[in-house]
């Protein structure tokens, strides 16, 4: 049974995984774009929240350090006013004698040492230094005119003088606190204390803190980073610059602007600034970004600015961004993998369903075909039964035919048989009569010879009748025949006709065992040779009969040929038809050839006819061999 190829075809096209070119082309760049976008968003959000957190903690730090600076400054606030209480100071201002000056100088020297300030000095109302703690030093302020100093101008007007500047004598920066010394409601002089604030800077540096303090002019007066010191935090106009230069507040410093590379205002007093990296800040980057938080310092017009580096924050934000991008990539990968797996499972399910469907179809077809086969098998069995019955019937008919043919042959031969038997009978009668007479005469020799001849004649007659009996008897189908024996038997039966016709017989075959019943072979040969003798009956000159044999593969070919008149073309096709005869009256039944052909076919051979060029007819009998032929010539 052939399988239906359609049963095993693949899953239906709708269920198969379709390569969607567009999706496959667009998906990777889309994922990469989303990765970059989300990574950047993650970076920005992380940066924003980090800045918020940082600015909160920076706020607290700023507050703390502002307090520190304020307390450092306020330590000295009241010191200049204390000199009002010192009588020697007022005496000196009232009477600037050498003795008074020495007294005040020594007093100021001691006070300066105890207060750890840089210098303490007293100016008269004209701005000239009348006494100073550094009176012993070579660069002593003594006698110097400091009336141009703003702190003097403020103090002499009765206002507190606060001033950061660079000393005009020493060139050393310091914080100046001045106080107008009053006596009876009148300013008689000005007390000034100069303090150094480097301690604050050192403390910042030790704490690795980046901060600076800018004064009322926007000039950085204190800075953890020395490179930023005395730079202006806001642009200065040329006028202001000139004014400041003239006041010598910052000595001859150029007061360049501290220009950040980038500046972004984030809120009140909070901005993001980027500077070129200074040598002090050891970093691989060329730029450094800070969160700059600024607030006012109490009791001064100064601002303190705290710089918190954003490097770590940015690095952390970048890491967060990368983490987000990575997480997205992982998620995208998992989603794609999940989707692919889902599709594969769907395809497999579809394929399994298709296979199951194909299987059930196949089973259905097998069941149908099995039923069909069973039916045709039954039909075949029926046909075989019928055929066997037909064969049986045919066989019986054949047997009947053979029998009928034999009887017909006997009928045909009856004349010749009678002739055959009458002759010896007549001879017997004559011989027996003669023998009686010879016995009466006493001639025993002749009588003995006659009796011997009688004996031979009786034997011959017995043989004739025995042949006839065996021919007429229903043949036992032993399935094996001897060619030589069969030819001899037939020739014996036809001996008288052969003799009478004067036919010259040629035997050219070997003795072989053939797969056919002996009597059936004899029957066939009797028909063929008998027909030949019939045909040669009217042959005037040299009638001849050839019995020739030859091997043909596993068969033996027996050819019965005569040189008779042959067969008219119009009769040739009817030769093997039953009851076809050209013989007149009772002579022909038209069964001989039909019967012979049927016997040959039943034995697995066949009977055919040939018409030789030389004339006559050749009947060719082909029969299967039992054993390999014996190479014995006849
Ligand atoms: P029947 O001998 O009774 O006629 P057959 O079937 O034996 O029946 O022969 C059929 C016919 O074939 C014969 O009548 C004869 O005309 C023809 N026939 C057979 N053998 C020969 C032969 N050797 N030569 C010529 N004709 C023949």
């Amino acid at each position: 049974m052939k399988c239906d190829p359609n049963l095993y075809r693949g899953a239906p096209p709708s269920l198969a995984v379709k390569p969607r070119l567009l999706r496959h082309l667009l998906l990777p760049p889309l994922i990469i774009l989303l990765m970059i976008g989300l990574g950047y968003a993650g970076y920005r959000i992380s940066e924003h929240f980090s800045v918020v957190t940082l600015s909160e903690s920076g706020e607290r730090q700023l507050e703390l350090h502002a307090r520190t600076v304020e307390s450092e400054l306020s330590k000295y606030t009241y010191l200049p006013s204390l000199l009002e209480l010192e009588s020697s100071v007022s005496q000196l201002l009232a009477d600037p004698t050498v003795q008074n000056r020495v007294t005040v100088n020594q007093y100021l020297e001691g006070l300066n040492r105890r207060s750890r300030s840089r210098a303490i000095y007293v100016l008269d109302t004209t701005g000239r230094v009348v006494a100073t703690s550094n009176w012993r030093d070579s660069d002593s302020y003594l006698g110097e005119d400091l009336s141009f100093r703003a702190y003097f101008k403020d103090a002499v007007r009765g206002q507190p003088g606060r001033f950061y500047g660079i000393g005009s004598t020493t060139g050393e920066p310091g914080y100046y606190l001045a106080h107008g010394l009053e006596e009876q409601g009148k300013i008689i002089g000005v007390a000034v204390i100069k303090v150094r604030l480097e301690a604050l800077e050192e403390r910042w540096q030790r704490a690795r803190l980046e901060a600076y303090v800018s004064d009322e002019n926007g000039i950085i007066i204190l800075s953890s980073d020395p490179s930023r010191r005395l730079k202006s935090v806001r642009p200065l106009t040329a006028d202001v610059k000139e004014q400041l230069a003239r006041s010598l507040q910052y000595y001859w410093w150029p007061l360049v602007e501290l220009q950040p590379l980038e500046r972004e205002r984030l809120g009140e007093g909070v901005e993001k600034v980027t500077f070129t990296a200074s040598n002090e800040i050891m970093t691989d980057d060329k730029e450094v970004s800070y969160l700059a938080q600024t607030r006012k310092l109490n009791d001064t017009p100064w601002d303190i600015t705290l710089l918190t580096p954003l490097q770590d924050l940015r690095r952390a934000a970048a890491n967060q961004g990368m983490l987000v991008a990575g997480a997205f990539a992982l998620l995208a990968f998992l989603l794609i993998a999940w989707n692919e797996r889902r599709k594969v499972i769907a395809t497999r399910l579809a394929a399994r369903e298709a296979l199951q469907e194909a299987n059930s179809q196949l089973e259905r077809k097998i069941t149908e075909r099995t039923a069909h086969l069973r039916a045709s098998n039954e039909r075949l069995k029926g046909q075989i039964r019928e055929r066997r019955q037909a064969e049986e019937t045919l066989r019986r008919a054949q047997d009947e035919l053979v029998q009928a043919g034999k009887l017909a042959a006997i009928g045909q031969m009856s004349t010749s048989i009678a002739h055959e038997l009458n002759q010896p009978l007549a001879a017997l009668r004559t011989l027996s009569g003669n023998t009686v007479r010879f016995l009466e005469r006493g001639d025993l020799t002749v009588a003995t010879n006659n009796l011997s001849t009688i004996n031979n004649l009786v034997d011959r007659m017995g043989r004739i009748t025995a042949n006839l009996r065996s021919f007429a008897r229903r043949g036992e189908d032993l399935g094996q025949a001897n060619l030589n024996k069969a030819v001899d038997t037939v020739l014996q039966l036809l001996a008288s006709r052969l003799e009478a016709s004067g036919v010259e017989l040629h035997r050219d075959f070997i003795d072989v065992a053939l797969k056919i019943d002996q009597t059936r072979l004899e029957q066939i040969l009797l028909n063929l040779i008998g027909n030949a003798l019939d045909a040669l009956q009217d042959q005037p000159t040299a009638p001849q009969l050839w019995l020739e044999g030859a091997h043909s593969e596993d068969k033996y070919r027996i050819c019965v040929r005569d040189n008779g008149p042959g067969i008219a073309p119009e009769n040739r096709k009817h030769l093997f038809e039953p009851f076809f005869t050209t013989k007149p009256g009772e002579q022909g039944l038209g069964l001989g050839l039909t019967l012979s052909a049927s016997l040959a076919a039943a034995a697995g051979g066949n009977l055919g006819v040939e018409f030789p060029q030389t004339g006559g007819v050749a009947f060719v009998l082909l029969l299967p061999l039992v054993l390999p032929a014996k190479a014995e010539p006849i």
Side-chain angles (χ1 to χ4, degrees):
M1 185 181 62
K2 261 191 174 177
C3 288
D4 186 352
N6 293 332
L7 293 177
Y8 296 105
R9 64 177 186 271
S14 60
L15 295 167
V17 183
K18 282 184 195 166
R20 295 192 179 98
L21 188 67
L22 202 65
R23 192 188 63 185
H24 281 241
L25 279 177
L26 284 179
L27 201 58
L30 191 73
I31 288 174
I32 291 168
L33 273 178
L34 274 170
M35 253 175 76
I36 295 169
L38 284 172
Y40 184 69
Y43 168 76
R44 294 297 297 187
I45 292 167
S46 166
E47 190 191 32
H48 172 74
F49 283 107
S50 301
V51 166
V52 169
T53 316
L54 206 66
S55 62
E56 279 169 9
S57 77
E59 198 71 44
R60 286 193 294 277
Q61 277 218 349
L62 183 67
E63 187 65 31
L64 191 76
H65 290 289
R67 291 261 178 275
T68 314
V69 176
E70 283 164 7
S71 75
E72 189 69 24
L73 296 179
S74 61
K75 265 198 326 199
Y76 301 100
T77 309
Y78 299 103
L79 203 59
S81 58
L82 279 179
L83 295 185
E84 250 178 9
L85 306 173
E86 182 55 44
S87 56
S88 61
V89 174
S90 49
Q91 266 179 18
L92 174 67
L93 288 169
D95 182 16
T97 62
V98 175
Q99 184 56 44
N100 285 345
R101 192 185 313 271
V102 169
T103 309
V104 174
N105 276 346
Q106 283 171 345
Y107 169 72
L108 292 177
E109 192 177 14
L111 187 64
N112 185 50
R113 197 166 50 245
R114 283 193 296 278
S115 66
R116 293 170 193 260
S117 54
R118 192 75 190 95
I120 305 174
Y121 48 97
V122 177
L123 292 91
D124 62 15
T125 48
T126 63
R128 192 164 300 276
V129 179
V130 290
T132 174
S133 60
N134 58 3
W135 61 283
R136 293 183 203 272
D137 300 344
S138 56
D139 53 354
S140 162
Y141 302 155
L142 208 60
E144 241 181 84
D145 181 7
L146 299 175
S147 57
F148 64 93
R149 290 291 200 189
Y151 60 80
F152 169 75
K153 287 176 185 168
D154 289 341
V156 89
R157 284 203 303 271
Q159 289 166 357
R162 300 279 183 273
F163 178 87
Y164 181 88
I166 298 173
S168 54
T169 318
T170 57
E172 188 183 73
Y175 178 44
Y176 297 84
L177 296 106
H179 178 78
L181 300 169
E182 275 183 50
E183 197 178 66
Q184 291 163 0
K186 191 178 158 224
I187 303 276
I188 57 165
V190 171
V192 182
I193 180 165
K194 179 182 179 182
V195 289
R196 295 211 56 186
L197 298 173
E198 279 80 0
L200 277 171
E201 289 181 333
E202 283 161 17
R203 219 176 294 158
W204 289 345
Q205 281 165 3
R206 274 202 301 277
R208 298 193 157 275
L209 192 82
E210 292 211 51
Y212 59 78
V213 172
S214 52
D215 67 5
E216 64 279 13
N217 298 316
I219 305 297
I220 296 173
I221 52 173
L222 292 172
S223 171
S224 56
D225 179 2
S227 66
R228 287 192 199 114
R229 209 175 286 145
L230 291 169
K231 284 187 176 159
S232 85
V233 293
R234 53 177 181 260
L236 295 176
T237 60
D239 287 351
V240 175
K241 268 192 179 173
E242 198 189 324
Q243 200 183 322
L244 290 175
R246 212 172 293 137
S247 74
L248 281 179
Q249 185 174 349
Y250 309 104
Y251 209 47
W252 296 111
W253 279 85
L255 303 177
V256 289
E257 197 182 330
L258 179 71
Q259 274 182 326
L261 296 171
E262 232 176 84
R263 173 170 251 149
E264 188 190 339
R265 193 170 179 276
L266 299 176
E268 186 59 44
V270 185
E271 53 185 3
K272 203 154 74 176
V273 286
T274 306
F275 294 116
T276 314
S278 70
N279 292 339
E280 241 172 84
I281 301 149
M282 296 309 287
T283 167
D284 296 336
D285 300 331
K286 288 191 179 127
E287 295 175 5
V288 187
S289 293
Y290 295 97
L291 181 73
Q293 289 169 286
T294 306
R295 59 154 283 179
K296 287 228 161 292
L297 283 170
N298 291 332
D299 299 330
T300 63
W302 298 353
D303 290 329
I304 179 165
T305 301
L306 181 71
L307 295 173
T308 315
L310 292 175
Q311 234 76 1
D312 292 345
L313 176 147
R314 283 203 169 149
R315 210 164 290 140
N319 285 343
Q320 298 272 11
M322 280 195 280
L323 208 69
V324 169
F328 171 75
L330 189 70
L331 188 72
F333 172 76
L334 288 175
L335 275 173
I336 290 169
W338 173 79
N339 194 36
E340 289 301 319
R341 190 169 158 66
R342 188 183 60 77
K343 277 195 274 186
V344 167
I345 289 171
T347 311
R348 270 192 207 152
L349 276 176
R352 197 180 295 163
E353 273 172 25
L355 194 67
Q356 276 173 356
E357 176 61 26
N359 272 346
S360 49
Q361 266 189 40
L362 186 66
E363 274 170 20
R364 261 201 310 280
K365 293 213 168 181
I366 287 172
T367 316
E368 279 169 19
R369 284 181 192 188
T370 309
H372 186 70
L373 272 177
R374 208 168 278 146
S376 51
N377 207 18
E378 286 304 317
R379 260 200 316 278
L380 269 176
K381 275 184 188 168
Q383 282 174 359
I384 288 168
R385 262 198 310 278
E386 281 170 19
R387 203 190 169 100
R388 276 199 187 133
Q389 278 170 2
E391 273 175 7
E392 189 56 34
T393 313
L394 192 68
R395 196 179 167 77
R396 273 203 298 276
Q398 267 182 358
D399 287 347
E400 292 303 320
L401 268 176
V402 169
Q403 196 56 23
K406 281 181 183 176
L407 294 177
I410 288 170
Q412 280 176 327
M413 288 188 296
S414 58
T415 320
S416 47
I417 292 165
H419 172 74
E420 194 74 15
L421 290 177
N422 280 339
Q423 266 188 336
L425 274 175
L428 274 177
R429 193 166 47 244
T430 312
L431 280 170
S432 59
N434 287 345
T435 307
V436 171
R437 273 192 294 276
F438 281 122
L439 280 174
E440 282 169 354
R441 279 185 218 159
D443 193 350
L444 289 175
T445 313
V446 178
T448 307
N449 284 339
N450 280 355
L451 281 173
S452 169
T453 310
I454 287 167
N455 205 26
N456 286 339
L457 284 170
V458 169
D459 276 354
R460 179 177 156 81
M461 287 169 71
R463 275 204 305 278
I464 291 168
T465 50
N467 270 331
L468 279 172
R469 203 172 52 243
S470 76
F471 181 69
R473 197 175 54 221
R474 281 182 189 275
E476 289 166 39
D477 197 357
L478 297 172
Q480 190 165 331
N482 184 282
L483 179 61
N484 220 9
K485 193 180 161 197
V487 172
D488 283 347
T489 306
V490 172
L491 290 178
Q492 215 163 33
L493 280 171
L494 299 172
S496 58
R497 286 186 66 194
L498 269 168
E499 216 174 292
S501 62
V503 170
E504 191 186 344
L505 181 68
H506 305 276
R507 292 173 66 131
D508 184 16
F509 58 88
I510 57 167
D511 190 17
V512 286
L514 298 167
K515 272 190 190 169
I516 187 167
D517 195 83
Q518 184 73 34
T519 54
R520 293 186 178 199
L521 177 60
E522 288 169 5
Q523 176 77 55
I524 297 167
L525 291 173
L526 185 68
N527 282 332
L528 299 178
I529 297 170
N531 280 344
L533 289 179
D534 287 343
L536 292 168
Q537 209 170 9
D538 304 324
Q539 185 68 14
T541 51
Q544 293 192 66
L545 177 64
W546 289 270
L547 297 176
E548 296 161 325
H551 282 283
S552 173
E553 295 176 1
D554 57 343
K555 291 191 172 71
Y556 199 72
R557 185 179 191 273
I558 304 147
C559 182
V560 179
R561 181 161 66 91
D562 61 64
N563 63 344
I567 298 166
E570 66 272 15
N571 292 336
R572 286 177 183 175
K573 58 183 175 197
H574 303 296
L575 281 180
F576 294 96
E577 288 174 7
F579 302 108
F580 172 78
T581 181
T582 57
K583 293 171 189 169
E586 295 292 309
Q587 281 181 30
L589 275 175
L591 284 173
L593 289 178
T594 315
L595 186 65
S596 300
S598 129
L599 289 176
N606 71 298
L607 177 64
V609 63
E610 289 172 7
F611 305 99
Q613 295 288 324
T614 48
V617 184
F619 282 93
V620 178
L621 175 65
L622 205 63
L623 287 171
L625 284 161
V626 172
L627 290 167
K630 283 180 270 175
E632 283 175 25
I634 304 297

